[in-house]
Amino acid sequence: TLSNADLEANDIDYHSFMSDSNETRSLFLSVLDKAERDYGFSTDNYQLKVETLALENGTFILTITRSLATNEPQKKRLRVSRKTPNISAQSLIYRFNSFDDLCAFANSLYDNIFIDLNEEQKKYYAAEVKDANEKMTKLVEQGGFAKNKMIILALLTRLRQICIDPAIVFEDYTGGSAKIEQLISTIQEVVGNGHKILLFTSFKTALNIVKKALDEGNISNYVIAGDVPSRQRQMLVDAFNKDDTSVFLIMLKSGGTGLNLTSADVVIHLDLWWNPQAENQATDRTHRIGQTKTVEVIKLICRGTIEEKILDLQQKKKLLADKMIDDDLGDTAYFKSLSEQDIRDLLTYENKD
């Protein structure tokens, strides 16, 4: 395995190193697969290649070139932060604080679990889609699309919440939630296999619902939300990394930065955020110095709903998301990039019975 000392001695040319190490070849192939799948850096007409792995000023620099399949690579060095490639360039650079960070990133696994709404949820969701469409049409007619974007965002947020559990929106709802049932089943299986979990959600009410379900199932957990002071957060983080607590429930906005949670090796996203960079930043809480395990990232997605369409939008709008700076990962900036047709597409429900 390539060590920090090896890289400190000199830049490593990938061609010579690849021929000597099956392990590193596998690692590089994993990174290439991530660049293609997660960031749209490749198309059917392009090929990707790891060009060099080097150490510069304490930072590990992995350079990947993109070229037409029939042409030689056109190199164009582009300094970008890790996991923020510029798709229009002919090369991208991943930057890591240590070689261990690179390995952890390359060895993470991604799994989307698709869920059908239960029958009662379907009724509430379909009715809300109809209502949101009618309200959006009226808003556009009265004041225009651009002027009313943030009001429309609130309509879409209700749909996202109904996918988690209609009880978040409707106080008198008692019909249950297919997503919460699937979540608890998944957590029980993962914890039963000896893993520790970070669970992220955008909504405080959803966090409370999940905590109640975990407590009822005797599954140990900690919680970080916006009302938890920073000093207490660090105490909870330290405890989770040392004790046998199974699940750490975290509000996405509260836990995106500053937390080192390498004792967890499974990340679950209960709901999708508009900007996938926010999800990536949260997932990176496990990809810190000291992580020695393969990290699995699970997204729970309700089939045929706004969640499945957000997943599609995350790929279509990938370049925009990658260009956003780290302190601008909220709903507002990303949502403003969506066209009226993008939002109309979100306001459909494909009931796949």
Side-chain angles (χ1 to χ4, degrees):
T1 302
L2 185 62
S3 68
N4 291 11
D6 293 329
L7 285 175
E8 287 170 357
N10 61 297
D11 287 1
I12 303 296
D13 180 84
Y14 126 90
H15 299 286
S16 60
F17 187 75
M18 286 272 280
S19 63
D20 296 332
S21 174
N22 289 332
E23 183 177 350
T24 301
R25 175 181 172 82
S26 176
L27 183 148
F28 284 163
L29 290 175
S30 295
V31 172
L32 291 178
D33 180 63
K34 286 182 179 296
E36 179 174 359
R37 184 187 65 232
D38 297 340
Y39 301 107
F41 194 71
S42 178
T43 70
D44 291 340
N45 296 324
Y46 284 90
Q47 61 184 7
L48 299 182
K49 183 177 74 172
V50 173
E51 192 66 27
T52 58
L53 177 61
L55 180 69
E56 297 180 13
N57 299 321
T59 300
F60 290 78
I61 309 294
L62 183 67
T63 304
I64 296 176
T65 58
R66 180 180 74 163
S67 65
L68 288 171
T70 56
N71 296 335
E72 289 299 314
Q74 300 175 7
K75 298 180 187 178
K76 179 183 176 183
R77 294 278 286 186
L78 173 69
R79 283 306 166 88
V80 294
S81 62
R82 177 163 70 91
K83 297 172 69 174
T84 313
N86 183 331
I87 298 173
S88 64
Q90 291 304 317
S91 71
L92 65 87
I93 293 176
Y94 288 92
R95 302 171 67 185
F96 300 88
N97 292 328
S98 73
F99 190 69
D100 288 342
D101 282 355
L102 189 160
C103 293
F105 170 65
N107 291 327
S108 57
L109 304 174
Y110 291 81
D111 184 20
N112 294 334
I113 297 178
F114 290 89
I115 305 156
D116 291 315
L117 300 177
N118 68 34
E119 292 306 315
E120 195 67 12
Q121 273 183 290
K122 288 178 181 179
K123 295 175 185 177
Y124 277 77
Y125 188 85
E128 192 68 24
V129 166
K130 182 176 182 295
D131 183 62
N133 269 300
E134 292 172 353
K135 288 180 178 177
M136 178 175 169
T137 298
K138 185 177 294 186
L139 287 168
V140 172
E141 289 175 351
Q142 292 176 347
F145 172 70
K147 183 179 178 180
N148 289 291
K149 261 194 172 183
M150 301 319 296
I151 299 176
I152 295 169
L153 172 60
L155 299 177
L156 298 179
T157 297
R158 286 172 62 89
L159 292 176
R160 293 172 61 206
Q161 292 171 330
I162 292 171
C163 287
I164 300 172
D165 190 334
I168 298 174
V169 177
F170 305 101
E171 292 184 3
D172 60 346
Y173 178 80
T174 58
S177 165
K179 175 174 280 197
I180 297 300
E181 290 178 6
Q182 176 64 60
L183 170 67
I184 298 305
S185 174
T186 300
I187 289 175
Q188 289 173 336
E189 180 180 353
V190 170
V191 170
N193 288 328
H195 301 283
K196 300 185 72 168
I197 299 169
L198 302 187
L199 186 144
F200 292 97
T201 178
S202 307
F203 306 110
K204 177 64 180 298
T205 307
L207 203 71
N208 295 338
I209 290 172
V210 174
K211 177 170 177 50
K212 181 181 178 182
L214 293 179
D215 290 344
E216 290 175 350
N218 295 317
I219 299 173
S220 57
N221 62 87
Y222 291 134
V223 177
I224 286 184
D227 56 354
V228 178
S230 59
R231 188 171 183 176
Q232 185 178 348
R233 292 184 192 189
Q234 191 56 53
M235 292 174 61
L236 290 172
V237 167
D238 292 342
F240 184 76
N241 283 333
K242 295 176 182 177
D243 65 24
D244 295 329
T245 300
S246 298
V247 184
F248 211 137
L249 306 174
I250 305 174
M251 282 284 292
L252 194 61
K253 291 181 181 179
S254 303
T257 59
L259 304 181
N260 188 334
L261 289 158
T262 54
S263 65
D265 56 355
V266 176
V267 175
I268 299 177
H269 290 284
L270 182 62
D271 47 278
L272 303 183
W273 241 34
W274 295 104
N275 185 356
Q277 283 291 69
E279 293 175 2
N280 294 338
Q281 191 179 76
T283 297
D284 281 354
R285 299 313 97 210
T286 64
H287 291 157
R288 294 300 183 86
I289 294 172
Q291 180 58 271
T292 59
K293 304 175 184 177
T294 296
V295 176
E296 182 176 10
V297 181
I298 299 171
K299 294 182 180 182
L300 302 179
I301 302 161
C302 289
R303 189 178 284 108
T305 70
I306 189 173
E307 293 189 326
E308 195 167 13
K309 295 172 176 62
I310 288 176
L311 190 65
D312 292 338
L313 272 178
Q314 285 183 345
Q315 298 303 319
K316 293 177 183 177
K317 300 288 183 178
K318 193 64 178 170
L319 179 57
L320 170 76
D322 289 339
K323 285 183 176 178
M324 287 183 177
I325 57 177
D326 288 343
D327 60 356
D328 192 16
L329 297 176
D331 284 339
T332 303
Y334 190 81
F335 185 77
K336 285 181 177 178
S337 73
L338 303 184
S339 67
E340 181 175 351
Q341 186 57 52
D342 287 333
I343 295 175
R344 291 289 185 189
D345 291 342
L346 292 170
L347 288 173
T348 59
Y349 175 37
E350 300 169 15
N351 189 346
K352 301 180 180 179
D353 282 345

